[in-house]
Amino acid sequence: MKAVVWHDVGDIRLEQVDDPKLHEPTDAVVQITTSAICGTDLHLVRGTMPGMVPGTVLGHEAVGVVVEVGAAVRGFAPGDRVVVCSTISCGYCAYCRSGYPAQCDTANPNGPQAGTSFFGGPEGTGPIDGLQAEYARIPHASNTLVKVPDSVTDDQAIMVSDVLPTGWFGARLAQVGEGDTVLVLGAGVVGQCAIAAAERQGAARILVIDGLPDRLATARAQHAEPIDFHAEDPVATVRELTGGIGVDRVIDAVGVDAQRPHSGPAAANLPVDAETFEAERELAAPAGNTDDGQWLVGDAPSLSARWAVQAVAKAGSIGVIGVYPPDFDRYPLGLVVNRNLTVQGGNCNHHRYVPGLLGRVARGDIDPTRFITQHADPLSMIDAYETFDRRETGWLKTVVPVADVG
């Protein structure tokens, strides 16, 4: 079969690999009908997230059809149309049964203390071959797969594989409630999903910070209030718009920093949202803040983290769903403590939210296809990666129909 394979930092290839087979009785094999490119994939390609194993198939978002199941998989049968949860979980350990399947004690081959296991990730997550392929082996299929209602299209379902539940999870982490004023950092597709989620979880007002006009326009179409960090100081603007108080809740859909503006009031290092990538590996850049356009590294905290703790009201709460490398340890805790803030972060507990969100999509409560901007030919996926890498105007979410690849 054909698959997108990671070989080295900056070196991915569409190539022929062996078809997957059942390894355990809890496995299933799924023919992928639709996959997608995610900003996390770009972190892996760029090396922001270290530890990738050469030969790993990339991708953690997919919809497909079951073609084979192991003897222990009772709830699915060949022919079932399914969405694949991005994080792998057994469904029976204490964490899964408590609603934290992203911290499943069973799924990660590196042991229960290794944390989240997801498709197409670095060694610390498995590694488990990913979903940008014609077929995929699905470990713990009974809990990692969810049946897709007949009325839900592949385009709708692919958005429920990762980005929509991640945005929903971000709003839950931030403790969004009725009447809240919410700030979303980053207007990539996860940020857009966080806006949609915050509105449905009761937010009365939503502000969003980004530097790309097309993404801010998409946020505005959701009735969010855009703040362009190239044109104005974002923290000062948030405070001005909230009477000097700040917002009640912040959803950080940004994570690690990427670039620095050439001009404007926010003349400091800028964040990149959860659907893009860090332009240089941290270890390759000079330490500390610099004045020569280098990346924000060394002992300095992520700018998105600083914006979050500065823009939120005292005693407010922050939900972190942006990508931070495992060794990132420069969060501005002094401001958190000084201002009595609550900060929660984590990898989305996909299986907890996917079934309910599929139901919302089927009822027409949410249409996540509004955030799909490209349908890429599977044979041009490497070109699609390169274009997404450049953050070209109009590239928000790329979906890839896969099943007909020869």
Side-chain angles (χ1 to χ4, degrees):
M1 68 171 185
K2 287 186 174 67
V4 177
V5 180
W6 192 96
H7 287 275
D8 203 344
V9 173
D11 181 8
I12 60 171
R13 308 170 199 170
L14 181 66
E15 58 190 24
Q16 202 76 23
V17 300
D18 292 338
D19 289 349
K21 300 183 183 302
L22 300 177
H23 291 180
E24 303 291 342
T26 50
D27 289 350
V29 173
V30 169
Q31 180 183 17
I32 306 301
T33 56
T34 302
S35 189
I37 299 174
C38 178
T40 301
D41 299 325
L42 289 173
H43 279 287
L44 301 173
V45 173
R46 282 289 188 164
T48 313
M49 295 287 287
M52 285 296 291
V53 177
T56 301
V57 176
L58 288 173
H60 56 268
E61 299 174 276
V63 178
V65 177
V66 176
V67 295
E68 187 179 6
V69 297
V73 179
R74 297 172 180 248
F76 295 92
D80 286 343
R81 186 163 161 261
V82 293
V83 62
V84 183
C85 294
S86 295
T87 49
I88 302 164
S89 57
C90 71
Y92 53 77
C93 74
Y95 284 98
C96 286
R97 292 166 71 169
S98 298
Y100 299 98
Q103 295 303 320
C104 175
D105 262 350
T106 307
N108 197 319
N110 297 294
Q113 293 301 317
T116 306
S117 181
F118 67 90
F119 291 96
E123 186 174 16
T125 68
I128 308 295
D129 275 335
L131 309 176
Q132 289 170 4
E134 294 180 84
Y135 294 87
R137 179 180 74 91
I138 311 300
H140 300 288
S142 294
N143 211 60
T144 305
L145 299 177
V146 178
K147 288 185 180 180
V148 178
D150 291 341
S151 60
V152 175
T153 68
D154 266 21
D155 274 4
Q156 290 173 321
I158 191 66
M159 301 295 281
V160 185
S161 179
D162 182 26
V163 291
L164 184 57
T166 296
W168 193 271
F169 178 60
R172 292 291 297 268
L173 287 176
Q175 303 178 11
V176 173
E178 295 291 334
D180 281 343
T181 295
V182 178
L183 171 65
V184 176
L185 284 166
V189 70
V190 170
Q192 302 291 345
C193 290
I195 292 169
E199 179 184 10
R200 285 157 180 80
Q201 291 179 32
R205 186 183 185 193
I206 302 171
L207 314 179
V208 60
I209 295 173
D210 202 286
L212 297 179
D214 58 319
R215 296 185 175 190
L216 290 171
T218 301
R220 185 185 292 108
Q222 292 199 77
H223 313 295
E225 300 175 44
I227 299 170
D228 183 346
F229 56 55
H230 288 294
E232 52 193 341
D233 183 303
V235 173
T237 302
V238 168
R239 290 178 177 168
E240 179 182 350
L241 292 171
T242 57
I245 297 170
V247 296
D248 303 300
R249 318 291 173 203
V250 174
I251 303 170
D252 177 359
V254 174
V256 288
D257 296 336
Q259 65 175 0
R260 182 182 167 95
H262 299 294
S263 62
N269 292 73
L270 297 181
V272 60
D273 62 54
E275 287 305 298
T276 53
F277 60 93
E278 182 154 21
E280 293 289 346
R281 287 200 64 180
E282 188 170 280
L283 295 178
N289 289 303
T290 70
D291 295 321
D292 57 2
Q294 298 296 331
W295 315 120
L296 184 69
V297 292
D299 295 329
S302 164
L303 186 63
S304 60
R306 284 189 284 141
W307 282 356
V309 300
Q310 291 168 357
V312 72
K314 293 184 296 183
S317 53
I318 299 167
V320 182
I321 51 174
V323 174
Y324 287 91
D327 59 353
F328 185 90
D329 59 1
R330 295 177 298 283
Y331 206 85
L333 286 177
L335 282 172
V336 170
V337 173
N338 234 14
R339 307 189 73 234
N340 279 56
L341 305 181
T342 298
V343 180
Q344 296 189 80
N347 296 315
C348 179
N349 296 299
H350 289 90
H351 186 82
R352 180 173 181 172
Y353 301 114
V354 167
L357 289 172
L358 281 172
R360 283 180 174 268
V361 170
R363 295 191 300 272
D365 177 46
I366 301 177
D367 181 15
T369 61
R370 66 191 298 182
F371 307 132
I372 297 173
T373 52
Q374 276 78 30
H375 287 81
D377 186 306
L379 298 178
S380 64
M381 281 190 71
I382 306 305
D383 292 336
Y385 262 98
E386 291 174 352
T387 306
F388 192 26
D389 179 334
R390 294 191 295 268
R391 302 202 311 178
E392 290 191 4
T393 299
W395 283 68
L396 184 62
K397 186 63 177 177
T398 302
V399 166
V400 185
V402 176
D404 294 331
V405 176

